[in-house]
Amino acid sequence: MIEFIRWHDLSQAQRLFHGRGHAYKGYEHICVDWFPPVALITLYKEEEGTFVESLANWLNENIETCQSVQVQYRCREKAPQEVIIGESIDETVVDENTRKYQIRFGRSQNHGLFLDMINGRDWLQARAKDKKVLNLFSYTCAFSVAAIAGGANEVVNVDLSKASLSVGRENHKLNQHDLTKVKFQGIDIFKSFGRLKKLGPFDISVCDPPSFQKGSVNIQRDYGKIIRRIPDFMKPGADLLLCLNSPDLDEEFLKAQVAEYCPACHFVEQLKNPDVFIESHQGKGLKVLHYRFD
């Protein structure tokens, strides 16, 4: 496994090894991320302690700025996390190109930033100038930070979790953004389409839903409910970034949903995932599709 670990600039947050793509036989249950100064090993099934210790030692010895090597056990209930080597760091601020994000370890399954979505955030930052942006399922508002960094006039963040939106507010403060340009809506999207219509119309929308969230979202069932509402809150000529991160649904599912529920949206391109997120089977990993609403 160690021979496959690569990095490009250790000042930046990034994935170092993506076993979940099933491209490396025997290591399908392991991912390694770099959230400076923390190297994080994620296990999706149990692994021998000697292997984990060996990997942790290698990371600590080969990454000069590493201060902590931690392991998160996604294979265990509540995804506990522990320090293997170095300092007990539970928070850090990371850089991603020109943007800063707060990372928190050990508090929940996710840490505050999805590293596979960097190309989507770069895409938005490059197109956001003078635009009004809708960020659905915003989580900690990483897309919102990219939009304001790109010169957006306004961003509306929508997420059911007020705690995540609170972290999003802190992310904007880290980047010294004007918070009068940012709105935080802690609401259920599926019960709030009328409010979104009043807040619009929007020039750009990003929709990055979870695949499944008990009592809230089943994206195979629910994506169409969002797509059919696009004419209600988007301007003619608006750009949409529709994201899908279910290994059981490929890009053809999303294209079929758009064709059925909003045929006025026309496919433009599919964004490429970062090279490290290699997948042995196309359609299993993250899918990010750019559409234009005419």
Side-chain angles (χ1 to χ4, degrees):
M1 172 192 176
I2 288 172
E3 64 187 284
F4 300 118
I5 295 179
R6 298 285 186 272
W7 51 76
H8 63 276
D9 177 359
L10 288 173
S11 70
Q12 304 288 299
Q14 62 195 278
R15 177 147 294 184
L16 304 180
F17 178 77
H18 183 62
R20 292 283 282 173
H22 295 268
Y24 305 104
K25 188 175 177 60
Y27 301 116
E28 296 87 350
H29 59 297
I30 300 171
C31 290
V32 182
D33 293 319
W34 174 237
F35 295 107
V38 177
L40 177 64
I41 302 166
T42 304
L43 298 179
Y44 290 86
K45 76 173 185 179
E46 295 292 343
E47 182 57 79
E48 291 183 3
T50 53
F51 173 84
V52 175
E53 290 175 10
S54 176
L55 176 56
N57 282 322
W58 188 91
L59 291 165
N60 186 56
E61 292 167 3
N62 286 272
I63 300 178
E64 185 177 351
T65 53
C66 182
Q67 297 177 18
S68 178
V69 183
Q70 303 186 23
V71 177
Q72 184 186 46
Y73 298 93
R74 292 284 285 270
C75 50
R76 301 178 186 176
E77 188 177 358
K78 297 184 179 180
Q81 192 160 321
E82 66 175 339
V83 178
I84 302 296
I85 295 175
E87 302 175 27
S88 180
I89 297 173
D90 57 11
E91 289 188 10
T92 187
V93 173
V94 301
D95 291 306
E96 182 188 75
N97 293 339
T98 61
R99 306 175 294 267
K100 294 184 181 296
Y101 297 104
Q102 184 171 9
I103 305 299
R104 296 177 175 181
F105 303 108
R107 303 188 189 185
S108 62
Q109 182 170 285
N110 299 312
H111 316 293
L113 184 67
F114 294 115
L115 297 173
D116 55 351
M117 195 60 84
I118 182 174
N119 291 348
R121 291 186 286 270
D122 287 347
W123 177 94
L124 180 58
Q125 182 168 339
R127 290 161 176 78
K129 187 171 176 58
D130 300 326
K131 297 296 196 302
K132 186 172 183 177
V133 179
L134 175 63
N135 185 20
L136 298 176
F137 303 97
S138 59
Y139 185 40
T140 57
C141 306
F143 272 110
S144 181
V145 169
I148 295 297
N153 285 338
E154 182 180 340
V155 182
V156 175
N157 295 290
V158 181
D159 199 282
L160 190 59
S161 170
K162 292 181 173 62
S164 293
L165 291 173
S166 179
V167 177
R169 186 182 298 273
E170 294 304 312
N171 279 334
H172 277 290
K173 290 179 180 178
L174 280 174
N175 290 272
Q176 300 181 328
H177 288 162
D178 181 357
L179 286 175
T180 64
K181 295 184 176 182
V182 189
K183 290 184 171 66
F184 303 92
Q185 300 287 311
I187 55 177
D188 184 335
I189 290 169
F190 299 104
K191 298 177 181 178
S192 308
F193 290 119
R195 183 183 297 193
L196 295 182
K197 185 175 182 179
K198 291 178 181 177
L199 290 169
F202 298 92
D203 302 291
I204 302 177
S205 178
V206 176
C207 184
D208 185 16
S211 299
F212 180 81
Q213 210 166 60
K214 189 175 181 180
S216 176
V217 182
N218 179 334
I219 207 57
Q220 185 169 7
R221 178 195 66 203
D222 295 332
Y223 221 140
K225 298 175 185 177
I226 301 169
I227 292 169
R228 64 197 266 181
R229 295 284 187 160
I230 287 171
D232 292 341
F233 46 79
M234 301 306 298
K235 294 180 181 178
D239 289 298
L240 301 109
L241 210 59
L242 303 179
C243 310
L244 181 65
N245 203 9
S246 169
D248 301 319
L249 301 171
D250 62 14
E251 57 269 24
E252 295 307 318
F253 162 80
L254 192 47
K255 289 179 178 179
Q257 293 282 291
V258 176
E260 178 177 356
Y261 292 105
C262 190
C265 285
H266 302 288
F267 177 74
V268 179
E269 63 178 333
Q270 181 168 352
L271 272 61
K272 182 182 177 183
N273 293 334
D275 291 340
V276 69
F277 287 89
I278 184 172
E279 300 285 337
S280 63
H281 299 291
Q282 185 177 357
K284 290 288 188 180
L286 173 67
K287 283 74 65 174
V288 182
L289 276 58
H290 173 202
Y291 277 86
R292 185 161 292 124
F293 172 61
D294 296 326

